[in-house]
Amino acid sequence: MSLINRTKHLVFEPGNVIMRQGDLGEVAYLIEDGQVEIFVTNPDGTEQILGHRGTGTIIGEMALVDNKVRTASIRATRASTLIAITREDFGRRLAHADPVMKMVMQVILARYRAVLHGTDSARESAEEMERDAVVSQKAFETIRMTHDFREAILGYQLRLHYQPIIDIVNDKVVGFEALMRWHHPVKGMVSPGTFIPLAEDSGLIVHASRWALREGVYMLNRLKLDHGMTNDWFMSLNFTGLDLAAEDFADNVSEAMQGTGVHPSRIKLEITERMLIDDPEGAIATLKRCRDAGLTVALDDFGTGYSSLSYLHKFPIDTMKIDRSFIVEMVQSPASLTLVKTIISLAKGLGMSVVAEGVEKKEELDLLMAHGCDMVQGYYFARPMQESDLVLWLEKRK
Ligand code: C2E
Ligand code: CA
Ligand code: CA
């Protein structure tokens, strides 16, 4: 009997076998309503009941994680309605799961099978072994890099690079975006695209962000004290949902500013739309507290996220940053240009200032200027630079 059935609800009468020991299993079932018994058939034909499951539980779940035969049979003891969960669906979900989760799951499963029915990993097919090896390798790499990142925070391997943000109308530097860099002792420079997700998954980002905030503030101070630059430049710093969710986020920000001589209005918190969608109430409360303390808030990568226009005006946002992807296409594509123009007027209508990100060409700058964008940031002016290079760059510009 094929156990694959793509209709959503399956009905079994009392005594009906739902899955049979020895068959290849490809689906698990959620018992929407009913009761079943799990049993194994001994070589002499006698049956041994292993347990019962009722409404709201899942049966046959091992089929979802490995490609092996059922180790037990299941039979309805009451009229039961089941919903199938296919391996395909589960596989898709698992593909997005953390590599460490994947590996731990495989190990637990292999041990469980070994204990329960004496099958062991030696009986894995070559294909399965290869798949497991890939999962393990990714997991090891994740665990190793997470360990290294913890060391990086403690061992001063993190640095901030600074990219100037320019006021488009009078061609003046108004601030910088701080972008994190990791000088790994063996791997060399690791890009934030690699380590930020890792830092988020492990929760370490919260410590890295705290470090970055303090470092950014100190750096503004150094420009004044060490280099005699008295401009009121702002420092834009990136934060994640995890940072914002920390209960003491606003307090920590205020604390970091205390006694530094840097006015809070010179610190801009960059957040993304996604962070606002996950927990809007919490985010609004936290951002309001930061704003009450004098800081400003920028909405980063605007246009790439959920762009929930319906409640954009409810968030305490001072600056909108138009994502680079729109700027890149703007010159070629009239549709993208329309989008950029719309975002600019939307932001203006809501009383926000606008930064265009990733400006690389003169044509892009001209278009942005023509359409009332306030500030720009991009390789056309400068790449993110380490502090000493930024100081040279600023001196040259003077
Ligand atoms: P982001 O916040 O959107 O930062 C802008 C990114 O665009 C930076 O990449 C910057 O180097 C790059 N960029 C700037 N101008 C141009 C340009 O003209 N052309 C091109 N092609 N790229 C340009 P980076 O430094 O690699 O950072 C990547 C992302 O990593 C950031 O995107 C941000 O999401 C994240 N990130 C960086 N530093 C931090 C940090 O301290 N904390 C957190 N939470 N995330 C960070
Ligand atoms: Ca940013
Ligand atoms: Ca951005």
Side-chain angles (χ1 to χ4, degrees), residues 177 238 270 300-302 321-324 357:
E177 176 172 4
N238 293 281
E270 290 201 10
D300 202 0
D301 306 336
F302 188 77
K321 297 191 78 173
I322 309 178
D323 190 66
R324 191 175 80 85
E357 301 188 288

Side-chain angles (χ1 to χ4, degrees), residues 47-88:
E47 287 179 2
Q48 186 190 342
I49 307 292
L50 298 179
H52 293 84
R53 297 280 184 276
T55 305
T57 55
I58 286 182
I59 51 172
E61 66 278 4
M62 294 222 285
L64 298 180
V65 253
D66 63 7
N67 199 12
K68 295 191 173 136
V69 296
R70 304 276 191 196
T71 52
S73 305
I74 296 183
R75 166 166 66 206
T77 51
R78 280 208 284 117
S80 300
T81 316
L82 311 183
I83 301 175
I85 308 165
T86 65
R87 182 184 295 154
E88 199 186 327

Side-chain angles (χ1 to χ4, degrees), residues 191-203:
S191 94
T194 307
F195 70 80
I196 296 288
L198 211 88
E200 281 192 82
D201 288 346
S202 60

